[in-house]
Amino acid sequence: MNESSCSIVLGTVQLGFSYGIANKTGQPDQETVNNIVRIAWKQGIREFDTAQDYGVSEQVLGIAFEKLGISSQARVISKIDPEIDHCDREVMVKAVETSLTKMCIPNLFGLMLHKEELLEQWSKGLKDIFLGFRTSGKVKKLGVSVYSPDKAEEALNLEGIDLVQIPSNILDRRFERKNIFELANTKKKQIYIRSVFLQGLILMGEGEIPDYMLFAKPIIDKIKQLSLKLNMSKQELALLYLKQKAPDAKLVIGSETSQQVMKNVDCWRKDASKELVSSVSETFDQVDEKILNPSLWRSKS
């Protein structure tokens, strides 16, 4: 494994349907998916993040794994469909078996709750069902995907939770301020960071911003100015900031093409001065929730 890229996890929501504000290619076909997974594997990426409600993501991943002969080696983290009854053991067992069958894998490296609200069911039977998956060998690690720092803290303090996935980037620094990365290290639990590029918004130029996102132009301009000041691309800015600020975390990064995979890995291998962290902290000290939360982006028209 290439150690310089093993902290990157291939996010696969883009493989299941057209996703992201900056998506220009739409959902990739199976041949493209195969090539994305092949390039990622060649670059040392061994973990894949998916979910049951990411369209056909699990299915196309399974085909790619079989085609490349890596079904027994790929480490997959998937998330249970949030709409099913999580306290019904039979329903949950069927859900996990369905994912394993679709992806042609013997077990899941990680199984996550897809919404932080589901933590409310942890002590109402959900914990026992999840731990049963681990005991049976169907799942190695258990976790949850959260949006808020408070829920991340709650999850890290729960017995049985090994993995916590959070959104964090140069604009969204809520988890830093709550010392979530330090708490995870203390608890010896793994943090996975998603929304590294905030669905592509961080990488966009002013001319690419859709009309309903015009309120984000001042922030896009700040990102551009900072990248020029530090002589770094926006991609390097986003990735290397997290590499310095959360060195023990793993980054879930989606790609629509194999070229994007290579570019992300190349950026990750670079080094940046300590000035990067302080510059980002000063430039993006306070960012409006409307920018940080994609559910608030679209107008009500």
Side-chain angles (χ1 to χ4, degrees):
M1 181 185 292
N2 188 323
E3 291 300 328
S4 65
S5 60
C6 64
S7 289
I8 293 179
V9 178
L10 185 69
T12 66
V13 62
Q14 288 95 333
L15 308 187
F17 49 70
S18 183
Y19 173 84
I21 189 175
N23 189 317
K24 295 178 181 177
T25 59
Q27 180 186 344
D29 58 24
Q30 187 63 54
E31 185 177 352
T32 302
V33 171
N34 295 348
N35 203 35
I36 288 171
V37 174
R38 181 182 66 82
I39 293 297
W41 194 263
K42 187 176 180 181
Q43 293 302 314
I45 295 173
R46 295 293 180 265
E47 292 187 40
F48 303 83
D49 176 85
T50 187
Q52 292 185 340
D53 61 352
Y54 283 176
V56 295
S57 173
E58 289 188 334
Q59 183 178 333
V60 297
L61 268 181
I63 294 171
F65 291 157
E66 287 248 288
K67 177 82 173 178
L68 298 168
I70 60 174
S71 298
S72 62
Q73 299 168 270
R75 301 201 297 184
V76 181
I77 297 170
S78 195
K79 307 172 200 76
I80 293 285
D81 181 349
E83 299 305 318
I84 69 172
D85 185 351
H86 280 55
C87 288
D88 186 322
R89 189 181 300 272
E90 188 175 331
V91 169
M92 291 288 279
V93 168
K94 183 179 180 182
V96 170
E97 292 292 348
T98 298
S99 283
L100 295 178
T101 300
K102 282 184 177 179
M103 291 186 282
C104 307
I105 54 177
N107 54 55
L108 286 168
F109 176 71
L111 179 67
M112 286 188 175
L113 303 176
H114 205 153
K115 291 185 176 180
E116 61 183 32
E117 293 83 3
L118 291 165
L119 285 173
E120 295 171 7
Q121 300 180 36
W122 189 251
S123 61
K124 301 175 183 177
L126 180 53
K127 174 184 176 182
D128 293 336
I129 294 173
F130 256 45
L131 291 177
F133 289 133
R134 195 160 65 186
T135 302
S136 70
K138 294 294 183 182
V139 176
K140 293 186 178 180
K141 296 180 181 293
L142 307 171
V144 60
S145 177
V146 303
Y147 178 73
S148 65
D150 286 345
K151 286 297 183 181
E153 184 177 16
E154 178 184 339
L156 289 170
N157 283 308
L158 280 176
E159 182 185 356
I161 295 289
D162 309 300
L163 319 170
V164 177
Q165 188 180 115
I166 65 171
S168 190
N169 49 66
I170 56 174
L171 304 181
D172 188 353
R173 296 171 42 244
R174 296 170 297 141
F175 295 85
E176 288 177 33
R177 297 187 178 102
K178 200 72 185 274
N179 297 316
I180 293 301
F181 301 126
E182 291 81 358
L183 179 60
N185 288 339
T186 299
K187 296 288 183 178
K188 293 181 170 54
K189 298 184 178 185
Q190 183 65 56
I191 292 290
Y192 286 79
I193 299 177
R194 68 176 186 275
S195 297
V196 175
F197 301 130
L198 197 51
Q199 291 195 17
L201 179 66
I202 288 171
L203 304 182
M204 293 179 79
E206 285 188 24
E208 299 173 302
I209 301 173
D211 289 343
Y212 68 88
M213 286 291 294
L214 292 179
F215 61 85
K217 271 197 170 184
I219 280 289
I220 296 301
D221 186 58
K222 279 189 175 183
I223 296 171
K224 177 183 177 181
Q225 295 306 318
L226 185 58
S227 68
L228 290 172
K229 173 187 172 185
L230 297 177
N231 194 28
M232 301 170 68
S233 69
K234 294 178 179 180
Q235 199 163 358
E236 290 168 348
L237 196 69
L239 291 177
L240 297 180
Y241 174 77
L242 290 172
K243 184 178 180 179
Q244 287 195 18
K245 196 66 183 179
D248 298 312
K250 296 191 177 185
L251 272 58
V252 179
I253 310 175
S255 297
E256 296 137 33
T257 66
S258 57
Q259 289 84 359
Q260 288 178 2
V261 176
M262 283 298 305
K263 194 171 181 182
N264 287 329
V265 172
D266 287 344
C267 287
W268 184 256
R269 287 175 176 153
K270 295 183 179 180
D271 294 315
S273 68
K274 294 296 181 182
E275 183 187 358
L276 171 59
V277 169
S278 59
S279 295
V280 167
S281 299
E282 292 166 10
T283 306
F284 307 112
D285 183 43
Q286 295 293 330
V287 178
D288 195 298
E289 169 75 3
K290 190 176 182 182
I291 290 174
L292 301 182
N293 189 346
S295 69
L296 303 178
W297 287 355
R298 285 196 176 271
S299 64
K300 296 180 180 179
S301 59

